[in-house]
Amino acid sequence: MKLTKINKAVTVALAVGVVALTGCEKNTSAPEHVTTQKTQATAARQQSESLFEEYAKMRAQQVSNVNYHLQVTLDNTSESFSGVTDIVFDLTNDNQNDLTIDFDEGTVSSVKVNGKEVTFNYEKWFITIPKSELSAGKNTVTVAYERPYSTDGSGLHRFVDPENGEVYLYTDFEPYDANRLFPHFDQPDLKATYSMKVTAPDHWKVITSVRENKIEESGDNNVWHFPESAKFSSYIFSLHAGNYAVWEDKFEDIPLRLFARQSLAEYVNTDEWFTPTKQSFKFFNDYFGVRYPFVKYDQIVAPDFNAGAMENVAAVTFNEGYISRGEKSTRAKMSLANVIAHEMAHMWFGNLVTMRWWNGLWLNESFATYMANLEVAEASDFKNNWDVFYSGTKQWAYRSDDSVNTHAIELPVPSTGDALTNFDGITYGKGASVLKQLPYYLGEENFRVGVSNYLKKFSYKNTELEDFIGELGKAADMDMEQWTQDWLYNAGLNTIKVNYQCDADKITEMNIVQSAPDDYPTLREQRVQVGLYQLDGENMALANAIPVMYKGESTKVSDAIGQACPDIVYPNEGDWGFVKVDLDEKSLAAVEQHINAVESATMRLMLWQSLSDSVRDANLAADKFVNFAIANIEGEQDYNVIRKISASLTTAMGYLNTATRLEKQDYSALYQDVENLYLRLLEKAPAGSDLQKMWYGRYVSFSKSDKHLKNLLAILQGERSYEGLTIDQDKRWGILAQLNRYQYGNYVALLDSEKEQDNSDTGVKNAIYAEVVRPEADVKKKWFDVVINNPENLKLSTLRYIMWGLFPTEQSTLEAPYKERILAHIPKLNDGSDLGLLGAFASSMIPSECTAESEAELAKLIEEYKSMKPQVLKTVKARHQNVGRCIKALKLL
């Protein structure tokens, strides 16, 4: 899973024709194009850092039955590594094309075909072997090469621990970076087996998809031998090496290992890892009806990792953010359990059965997201997981689907360079939400059986969307063609509203009315529950939940006729559906009067979300929401609801801060009211509770007045404390960032002192951020020049900290002198091949302000950037839309 990643992208919606889903079986014993065509079109490969789908289809006609034998030599001093790869494969009898082998920006010293050195061409991104050097049938191509280690978290990444000088290596390949480790055919539908020999320093551990079967001593090195693996796509192959600390456990007959850097070992709580791992194994083995196929299971916590985690076969990589240097909240432990389950679900769905091309990435990620949440809800130690899903993943989906960058779930992906532009709230959130409603639509057991049949039928093969949908349809005996077209091939978010009438306190008529945006007019069918709530004394209780399959513009709710006239009607009770809800006026009035009386925490969560959406949509003034939240938050007891209120409160205050800064109206007093509220709630929170941890975090990030910055300084210096709350090193960095941001106290000396105490990688990055965020012109110049002129001297993970801190919203005057240089730098990055840096720079650095002038500038920029890569265009379009929303929100004040 690439969650971009947990901080966790874009596409242009493309027109897609209707796909007929017949559910018919097809021959999948080899990639679809290998045996079905007797002739091939000749094709010259485009010079590009990306692999294009049309070329990949042609190459899959050339090549089959692939096996890789890898030799890799690593050390702990060089900035490059070397290797020899034997590629064994069958070549079609009617091959009409030269053969290309993917290999990104290395040095190739020799290429042999069947033992004989041959003429070849290598131009930066791939090796070309003339067709005359190859013969039909089995071939072995041997490539000797060298390549620099990566510093951007992709390919084979090298990290030097600043605390002890230890070197750690790990790989991250999705979608098209495996060829930064070894030359090969880097496309998902050319599955292969892998055997490997790795030479590495003798105190290192080496990890890949299988366990070693022999380790030989060789001077100061060891030579690790790894036997042939199962057959899978190269983007989920892996190589990790270094002096990792290791912990071991077992689930039934499956060996489990956990790895982390030595300097983080003291902070690793193995129960937080192994317990959810075992729970997930039991659940998935039972649910899928297919035993875990890859024998062993390792989890490696890696430094500088760009995503949340990645599902490498039997060797999953995790971000070090999942190791806390202090006590974790239940929410943080739950998040880790969810990610563990997500990556494990991929072992079946994605690794055992794999999409043919990257247009299927959404299904890979959506399915793992849904299944992880299902596992946590049904088989873990955690409660109320679907409330967490609703307030997090699903809201990400709603925001994405309600944005200018919305797109269909299923989209063409012309090249690997476009693949990650679909890593967004549609790919993960909407896809998972749509899958979540399928068990209600098809029946839970029908859905499970369809999934199980799909995995059994297509094990170790590649599939298209119709293969998956076909198995679901057959299990439920339903025609899924219209559903697929409406939900997967059409973009947009629908809204439903209940119209009803009562007479003599009984419902006499009720209809669900569905609408769609003008730009995306599709009306959909799905199954929801209409919740009828009655006020009984001081309790607003659910009187009835009526299941309804609605479709079209209007659907009659027959089972509501004769029911008692409700105080609140909510047409997505229990959150079955993926849809926006427009409350009727009576229900809205009842919510405003009795929100804390609503019996169901899930219902309160959804109602608060509706109010927050109203602020975002400029239908409710931000100051009214803030005052309403202040009046009601202390009456709420549920952690998830409180978290939602506080997040929405902080967002609404963002609009009011903007109004104050632009001198439209002064909301400073209201801001201080919220600061005081957060402090009061921190002081009232039970010692050691999740609420205490949450309110502490909110309070620190929100404090900016002298009174509260003074309080933060007292906490930092140990002069003020809260029972049950430990101020660990990471909390100290949070305070220091705030003191530097607002130049409070002796902030420079405090930062210098803290840097001496914490020279860890996390400490180095936090120290840089705390300096960068200072509102000082010389600091901005120093770090801006680093980003623009010398980015190669720092890792991408460090550059991100700099860019996040350079120009906070309130520092727009300091940003102004750099505006032209920022905009001039984007085309330069766009012309390069570093998509990670391009995306990070665009999302962090493009200037914007909540003014009509800024809105016009961004609109002009959209036109100028139309031909740029999606990482840029999407960011500018989203920024333009958000500025427009902000302007509308300020007009309500």
Side-chain angles (χ1 to χ4, degrees), residues 349 363 367 435 438 447 450-451 454 458 463-473:
F349 204 104
L363 183 56
F367 184 85
L435 291 178
L438 267 179
F447 179 81
V451 169
Y454 169 79
F458 297 106
T463 58
E464 304 277 6
L465 173 62
E466 57 261 35
D467 297 317
F468 177 66
I469 297 296
E471 292 303 316
L472 296 183

Side-chain angles (χ1 to χ4, degrees), residues 116-181:
K116 174 188 172 184
E117 288 211 23
V118 298
T119 301
F120 67 93
N121 184 47
Y122 178 49
E123 296 184 16
K124 196 173 184 180
W125 293 304
F126 54 87
I127 302 162
T128 301
I129 301 174
K131 60 186 177 183
S132 59
E133 301 284 5
L134 298 156
S135 55
K138 189 169 291 296
N139 287 266
T140 299
V141 173
T142 302
V143 182
Y145 65 93
E146 187 172 341
R147 193 190 187 282
Y149 291 107
S150 300
T151 59
D152 62 356
S154 297
L156 180 57
H157 180 87
R158 182 176 186 266
F159 172 89
V160 182
D161 193 326
E163 289 187 81
N164 54 26
E166 286 283 1
V167 173
Y168 294 90
L169 310 175
Y170 68 86
T171 55
D172 186 32
F173 292 152
E174 190 176 42
Y176 185 62
D177 287 321
N179 66 89
R180 296 171 74 179
L181 172 66

Side-chain angles (χ1 to χ4, degrees), residues 733 751 754-755 758 762-772 774 783 801:
W733 282 119
L751 178 56
E754 203 71 25
K755 284 194 287 188
D758 182 15
T762 301
V764 169
K765 290 172 182 172
N766 276 286
I768 290 173
Y769 176 83
E771 179 183 336
V772 172
R774 291 175 188 162
W783 289 106
Y801 274 74

Side-chain angles (χ1 to χ4, degrees), residues 146-286:
E146 187 172 341
R147 193 190 187 282
Y149 291 107
S150 300
T151 59
D152 62 356
S154 297
L156 180 57
H157 180 87
R158 182 176 186 266
F159 172 89
V160 182
D161 193 326
E163 289 187 81
N164 54 26
E166 286 283 1
V167 173
Y168 294 90
L169 310 175
Y170 68 86
T171 55
D172 186 32
F173 292 152
E174 190 176 42
Y176 185 62
D177 287 321
N179 66 89
R180 296 171 74 179
L181 172 66
F182 66 105
H184 70 290
F185 309 119
D186 196 356
Q187 60 189 75
D189 62 344
L190 284 177
K191 287 190 170 186
T193 61
Y194 310 81
S195 60
M196 184 165 60
K197 184 170 72 173
V198 178
T199 302
D202 57 12
H203 69 294
W204 281 16
K205 293 176 177 64
V206 181
I207 309 131
T208 186
S209 59
V210 293
R211 289 289 288 266
E212 70 281 357
N213 58 6
K214 184 169 63 173
I215 302 175
E216 297 176 323
E217 294 182 1
S218 178
D220 293 334
N221 295 319
N222 283 338
V223 181
W224 295 64
H225 296 261
F226 296 93
E228 187 171 273
S229 71
K231 185 179 180 182
F232 55 82
S233 304
S234 62
Y235 80 92
I236 41 182
F237 181 70
S238 63
L239 173 60
H240 313 279
N243 186 23
Y244 283 99
V246 60
W247 299 264
E248 299 192 43
D249 206 329
K250 181 179 284 191
F251 173 76
E252 296 178 353
D253 61 342
I254 304 169
L256 309 176
R257 294 188 298 180
L258 175 66
F259 297 86
R261 281 191 290 139
Q262 294 288 348
S263 56
L264 282 178
E266 65 178 294
Y267 304 110
V268 174
N269 182 332
T270 56
D271 286 343
E272 294 175 0
W273 294 84
F274 286 134
T275 296
T277 298
K278 295 174 187 178
Q279 291 169 337
S280 297
F281 264 125
K282 184 177 189 318
F283 181 80
F284 291 138
N285 277 332
D286 293 343

Side-chain angles (χ1 to χ4, degrees), residues 847-863:
S848 65
E849 184 62 280
C850 188
T851 63
E853 292 79 10
S854 181
E855 186 178 30
E857 289 171 356
L858 289 166
K860 183 179 178 182
L861 212 55
I862 290 172
E863 294 302 312

Side-chain angles (χ1 to χ4, degrees), residues 334 371-380 382-386:
M334 187 180 196
M371 288 305 306
N373 281 280
L374 183 65
E375 186 279 330
V376 172
E378 297 191 4
S380 79
F382 301 100
K383 299 178 181 179
N384 302 322
N385 180 67
W386 289 120

